[in-house]
Amino acid sequence: MSFKLVNLVARQGELRERAAQERAEFALHFEPIEKSLSWADKGIDAFNFMRSSPIIWTSAFAILAHYKPKLAGKVLAIGGGAVKLLKSTKNLL
């Protein structure tokens, strides 16, 4: 191999070692909040699942409306207000 290529391979090895060391140091800072971050990640996954399957929302609301119509009305009012609020904030951004 040429001299430049040998130097590049050696430099690449040094940079990989340095990156691994920096990743380990960076991970130490997040160790105390790792559990709460994993819960947040699970919550985001659950939200995305619910958002991608509207049949679950429809079925749950139909069951609620059948057994507790007054509560279903309140849920519908709060949900409608929340949707309006989200749409207005989305338009502002």
Side-chain angles (χ1 to χ4, degrees):
M1 285 199 261
S2 70
F3 182 70
K4 277 187 173 183
L5 190 55
V6 170
N7 283 342
L8 285 175
V9 170
R11 176 79 173 141
Q12 184 182 27
E14 292 171 9
L15 289 174
R16 284 186 180 173
E17 290 174 15
R18 183 174 160 193
Q21 181 183 7
E22 288 178 359
R23 273 191 224 102
E25 291 173 3
F26 190 73
L28 287 176
H29 294 292
F30 285 99
E31 196 170 308
I33 59 171
E34 184 176 358
K35 188 173 183 177
S36 54
L37 287 176
S38 75
W39 278 104
D41 191 37
K42 289 176 185 177
I44 290 170
D45 289 343
F47 175 77
N48 287 334
F49 171 74
M50 294 300 282
R51 197 171 104 190
S52 68
S53 53
I55 191 73
I56 293 173
W57 287 102
T58 307
S59 301
F61 187 75
I63 292 169
L64 181 67
H66 180 72
Y67 290 110
K68 302 275 186 176
K70 287 183 182 178
L71 181 61
K74 289 179 185 177
V75 168
L76 190 60
I78 292 171
V83 168
K84 284 182 183 180
L85 181 66
L86 288 173
K87 283 185 179 182
S88 65
T89 56
K90 189 177 181 181
N91 290 335
L92 289 174
L93 299 175

